[in-house]
Amino acid sequence: AVVSTQSGHYGRAQDNFEASALLSIRELDHNGMLDAKIKTLESINRHFVDGGKEFESRQTKEQIALIKRQMALQTKVADIIGLHLNETISLLIQRALFADADTVRKEFRISDKKFWWLKVRGLAETRNWPELEKLAKNKKSPIGYAPFVRACIDNNNKAEAIKYIERVPKEQQVEFYIDLRMPEKAAEIAKSAKSIALLDSVLNAVGPQNRVLTETINSFKTNM
């Protein structure tokens, strides 16, 4: 009976905690003022702390810090309020506010890999090719150089993509040259790699209609 009573108390406490947290969230949804949002999130966090919800409390504290950081940046970037963390960093990169992006990275302990992914994509999306090249040259990339190539291809810049292709493994080079509609170059790389599998991937990409290249690739395979 004692166990049952304790369980009942615990269940009611959990219900009260969840109800209080949900009430605060509803208040947040209906409140457009940033200071009020922060106060509401602080109220939510107290409920999480009281309920022993360490993960949820940590997430809420991060959300509060993000809103405060966005408020500080609002004079530079008016449309930054309400974005998620990754979106915040991406927008700063797209607006060429690199020092601010780095400040956010440090404050929220974003890993080098994630930050580089965001920066490569952000620079390519805004077609900031000089800054992308500077990034590739200044430091060794913790994510390799395939993301550089892919970002250039996705943003329709063949010339920029070619700059980075030689810095990726030959298997990826073949894939990228196929994507760039340069099957002859893809075949050359596959041949230099002495890989029948890569040559076959080029064959599958070009199809039988390209008779000259098909014959060339078959000749490469015969002579291996």
Side-chain angles (χ1 to χ4, degrees):
V2 173
V3 173
S4 176
T5 301
Q6 288 176 338
S7 177
H9 287 318
Y10 175 76
R12 285 192 294 276
Q14 283 295 100
D15 289 343
N16 290 336
F17 159 70
E18 298 293 348
S20 297
L22 287 173
L23 177 60
S24 293
I25 290 170
R26 280 194 290 271
E27 289 172 356
L28 175 60
D29 288 341
H30 288 87
N31 201 320
M33 298 179 64
L34 295 176
D35 289 337
K37 284 187 177 184
I38 291 173
K39 288 181 180 178
T40 303
L41 284 168
E42 289 172 342
S43 176
I44 291 172
N45 185 53
R46 286 193 292 273
H47 294 312
F48 285 145
V49 171
D50 292 343
K53 303 269 187 172
E54 293 183 9
F55 174 78
E56 290 83 352
S57 175
R58 190 163 57 248
Q59 294 292 100
T60 306
K61 287 178 182 177
E62 181 177 287
Q63 183 63 27
I64 293 169
L66 181 58
I67 292 174
K68 290 180 177 179
R69 174 57 58 186
Q70 289 172 343
M71 290 171 69
L73 291 165
Q74 195 174 14
T75 55
K76 296 181 182 179
V77 189
D79 50 346
I80 201 167
I81 299 297
L83 298 181
H84 294 300
L85 179 56
N86 288 352
E87 293 171 335
T88 299
I89 293 173
S90 294
L91 183 60
L92 291 171
I93 290 168
Q94 290 166 2
R95 302 289 170 85
L97 297 170
F98 305 124
D100 291 312
D102 199 53
T103 296
V104 175
R105 175 187 69 83
K106 291 175 182 176
E107 181 177 356
F108 293 91
R109 299 180 182 179
I110 301 298
S111 70
D112 285 346
K113 286 187 175 181
K114 177 181 280 190
F115 187 71
W116 274 66
W117 273 102
L118 294 172
K119 193 163 189 177
V120 168
R121 286 201 296 262
L123 292 174
E125 286 168 1
T126 51
R127 308 186 72 77
N128 193 342
W129 309 119
E131 197 65 34
L132 184 65
E133 187 171 4
K134 186 191 298 184
L135 180 67
K137 287 181 176 179
N138 285 355
K139 293 182 179 179
K140 183 178 180 181
S141 170
I143 57 173
Y145 294 92
F148 285 75
V149 183
R150 175 53 59 196
C152 293
I153 292 174
D154 289 347
N155 289 279
N156 305 308
N157 196 322
K158 182 176 181 178
E160 289 295 325
I162 290 172
K163 288 182 181 179
Y164 308 106
I165 287 184
E166 291 186 1
R167 303 179 76 170
V168 306
K170 288 187 175 180
E171 182 176 346
Q172 289 179 307
Q173 289 185 37
V174 170
E175 176 188 342
F176 286 137
Y177 277 121
I178 290 172
D179 287 348
L180 289 168
R181 298 182 181 179
M182 299 174 66
E184 292 81 6
K185 185 65 177 178
E188 287 179 18
I189 299 298
K191 178 189 176 185
S192 69
K194 298 180 180 179
S195 170
I196 290 178
L198 289 178
L199 287 169
D200 284 340
S201 70
V202 180
L203 277 176
N204 291 335
V206 300
Q209 62 272 17
N210 193 332
R211 293 182 180 179
V212 174
L213 185 55
T214 297
E215 290 174 4
T216 300
I217 292 173
N218 285 329
S219 175
F220 288 160
K221 292 170 65 176
T222 300
N223 294 324
M224 279 187 179

